[in-house]
Amino acid sequence: MSGPVQSLYNAGNPPVRIVHVHLLKANEIAKLLSSDDINVPDEEAIFQALMMWVRHDLQNRQRDLGMLLSYIRLPLLPPQ
C-alpha cells in the first residue's frame, strides 16, 4: 500500500489525517475499513469518513455503500 492508505497504518507514529479520502477507490476504502490496524480516534470517525466518501460521488458510489457499511463496527458507534 502507498499514499494516503499507507498513512493510516504508521504504527507508533502520530495519526495522519487523510484529507483526500474522496479520491480513494471502493476497494481501497474496503481495505481500510476491514483493517484492525487502522489508526483513528473512534469508530464514528471511520463512519463519517465513509459517508463523506459516498456523498462525494453519490450516484456512482451508493452501489458500494451496503458492502462498505458491513465493515463498520456498529456496536462501537455512539447511540444517536
Side-chain angles (χ1 to χ4, degrees):
M1 263 183 277
S2 63
V5 176
Q6 180 62 41
S7 66
L8 288 178
Y9 295 94
N10 290 336
N13 294 325
V16 177
R17 176 179 246 169
I18 293 182
V19 178
H20 301 290
V21 72
H22 64 278
L23 298 177
L24 298 176
K25 297 175 184 172
N27 65 328
E28 294 172 316
I29 293 289
K31 191 175 281 190
L32 286 173
L33 297 177
S34 65
S35 174
D36 289 331
D37 296 327
I38 192 168
N39 189 357
V40 293
D42 53 35
E43 198 70 17
E44 187 170 6
I46 296 171
F47 177 76
Q48 292 302 327
L50 173 59
M51 300 298 17
M52 180 181 71
W53 179 83
V54 170
R55 283 191 292 265
H56 183 76
D57 186 4
L58 185 61
Q59 185 175 4
N60 292 311
R61 293 178 175 176
Q62 65 185 357
R63 68 176 171 255
D64 298 313
L65 184 57
M67 180 267 298
L68 294 172
L69 279 172
S70 72
Y71 293 113
I72 302 293
R73 297 165 182 102
L74 296 176
L76 298 178
L77 289 174
Q80 303 230 19

